[in-house]
Amino acid sequence: MIELKGLTKVFDTGKARLTAVDHVDLTVPAGEIFGIIGYSGAGKSTLIRLLNGLEKPSEGSVEINGQNITAISGPKLRKARQKVSMIFQHFNLLWSRTVRENIEFPLEIAGVGKEERRKRSAELIELVGLEGRESAYPAQLSGGQKQRVGIARALANDPEVLLCDEATSALDPQTTDAILDLLVDINKRLGLTIVLITHEMHVIRKICHRVAVMEGGRVVELGEVLHVFQHPKENITKRFVAQVTETEDSAETVRHLREQYPEGQLVKLIFVGDQAEQPILTQLIREYKVEVNIVHGNISHTQRGAYGTLILQLKGTADEISKALAFLGAHDVQTEVMGNA
């Protein structure tokens, strides 16, 4: 388990004092995939450096599995860091070493014998799907393959926590999804706690159980990913959620839909979890005298369930439309009337 208590980091530039992390309190249970999202300058990179002991906090503490890493130094800190590994945006591989040699490097530093290093690297090469590429050099690998090497190297010392610093930002969308699927698989197989920082809500949506939204060094919103998608409170969170749910309710989109569908009423529906898999619209059409036309929508899948949005054109009498909306509300489907079409 990771526990942050009043964690603060202030940088003194000589001319001014910059508070990069401002009294952050967080608890990450063992085995969770926890996301930290924020735009550039939010403080997330400093926070992750505090987690692995590369920065000392100005105030507060970092505890990992009961050990306060902010209170130790020297050999004890180096030993503690072996249980907190990290993968990076730009891979940070040794270009003069092969895939196998890159993976074995932390074991070599730790004094592990050659035979044991070779056995461990072979296991990790299989785990990350790099069989047949053991003798390749980084320059001969694709971006996704390089990140797989980075992940295997990070796992070499059998860590308890894996930190991911914008680990997919340099990859194309398809490769990003493959790396995220690999991280989910590793989390399930090894029970590894994963903390990742990103500015991409797609990454949070796809693999994280919970998310913290950072702005100005503070955690401004925190919760299960599915709940944050359903009820974003802060404006910054709404902007991030819009990255993957699209901007169905933007003024321009609504105006365009009204022009395209000039009759009836436009209604936005939000489905969460099991609702997204249920034939609720089929029941509505069967039971109420309304004509239903789906004009826009999408479903996003999270680790805790699905989140879907639909925009419907409803045609019928005001009374029947009112009954239909009441039916949806009774089935815990959020509705928002977007005005007459």
Side-chain angles (χ1 to χ4, degrees):
M1 182 174 76
I2 302 170
E3 192 167 7
L4 311 183
K5 298 178 180 178
L7 195 63
T8 302
K9 181 63 180 180
V10 179
F11 292 100
D12 192 342
T13 64
K15 295 182 179 179
R17 288 167 59 84
L18 172 65
T19 303
V21 176
D22 192 358
H23 294 89
V24 169
D25 296 296
L26 281 178
T27 299
V28 181
E32 184 173 70
I33 304 179
F34 187 84
I36 300 170
I37 191 168
Y39 291 113
S40 179
K44 57 190 189 298
S45 294
T46 301
L47 181 64
I48 209 167
R49 288 174 62 84
L50 290 165
L51 280 175
N52 63 9
L54 291 176
E55 293 282 356
K56 286 286 187 181
S58 305
E59 296 178 35
S61 63
V62 177
E63 288 189 10
I64 297 178
N65 294 333
Q67 183 174 34
N68 185 349
I69 68 167
T70 55
I72 58 176
S73 59
K76 288 184 178 181
L77 179 58
R78 286 193 293 272
K79 185 176 180 180
R81 279 181 183 158
Q82 291 181 357
K83 294 300 180 181
V84 184
S85 286
M86 193 163 177
I87 58 175
F88 305 89
Q89 178 180 358
H90 297 296
F91 322 124
N92 288 16
L93 302 180
L94 299 171
W95 296 90
S96 61
R97 292 190 173 223
T98 64
V99 166
R100 180 186 292 113
E101 291 167 344
N102 265 283
I103 295 170
E104 293 181 0
F105 184 62
L107 297 172
E108 186 180 331
I109 293 175
V112 177
K114 184 176 180 180
E115 185 175 341
E116 183 61 28
R117 294 201 308 266
R118 184 59 55 93
K119 179 182 177 182
R120 180 63 174 154
S121 64
E123 293 171 350
L124 291 169
I125 285 168
E126 181 181 0
L127 177 66
V128 301
L130 285 174
E131 300 97 323
R133 304 296 284 163
E134 297 90 337
S135 300
Y137 289 90
Q140 300 170 310
L141 303 177
S142 67
Q145 289 172 331
K146 290 172 188 173
Q147 195 55 284
R148 288 174 186 268
V149 177
I151 292 170
R153 180 185 59 187
L155 298 176
N157 277 319
D158 194 23
E160 297 168 350
V161 176
L162 179 63
L163 306 178
C164 305
D165 185 4
E166 297 278 10
T168 59
S169 294
L171 305 176
D172 63 75
Q174 185 174 355
T175 306
T176 291
D177 282 346
I179 293 298
L180 295 178
D181 287 339
L182 175 60
L183 290 174
V184 170
D185 182 56
I186 288 170
N187 168 257
K188 291 178 179 178
R189 285 201 203 185
L190 307 181
L192 191 66
T193 304
I194 299 177
V195 178
L196 60 87
I197 66 170
T198 183
H199 62 274
E200 300 172 297
M201 199 62 179
H202 167 73
V203 173
I204 300 294
R205 175 195 63 79
K206 187 170 177 66
I207 73 168
C208 293
H209 302 122
R210 290 191 304 139
V211 61
V213 182
M214 288 194 72
E215 185 176 31
R218 289 181 173 271
V219 172
V220 296
E221 195 154 352
L222 172 68
E224 287 197 2
V225 171
L226 193 58
H227 181 78
V228 169
F229 267 65
Q230 184 182 8
H231 301 292
K233 296 177 182 177
E234 302 294 326
N235 287 333
I236 186 173
T237 310
K238 293 175 182 177
R239 288 168 62 191
F240 280 125
V241 170
Q243 290 180 2
V244 288
T245 61
E246 301 180 3
T247 54
E248 302 97 334
D249 54 349
S250 69
E252 183 177 351
T253 302
V254 173
R255 181 183 57 78
H256 174 73
L257 290 174
R258 285 174 179 166
E259 292 175 355
Q260 192 172 359
Y261 303 94
E263 299 178 5
Q265 197 168 66
L266 291 179
V267 179
K268 178 181 176 182
L269 312 184
I270 298 176
F271 301 84
V272 179
D274 293 340
Q275 302 163 354
E277 312 296 335
Q278 300 300 316
I280 294 173
L281 290 185
T282 302
Q283 296 176 40
L284 183 147
I285 293 169
R286 287 174 178 172
E287 296 182 24
Y288 297 92
K289 297 178 181 179
V290 291
E291 183 180 334
V292 178
N293 184 20
I294 298 174
V295 300
H296 200 284
N298 70 302
I299 293 179
S300 297
H301 292 277
T302 76
Q303 288 294 305
R304 302 295 193 194
Y307 172 95
T309 59
L310 288 176
I311 295 181
L312 307 180
Q313 178 195 36
L314 300 182
K315 294 182 183 179
T317 66
D319 184 55
E320 286 297 325
I321 289 176
S322 179
K323 290 178 181 178
L325 294 178
F327 166 82
L328 292 170
H331 285 78
D332 296 324
V333 176
Q334 294 184 54
T335 62
E336 177 187 339
V337 176
M338 304 175 74
N340 292 328

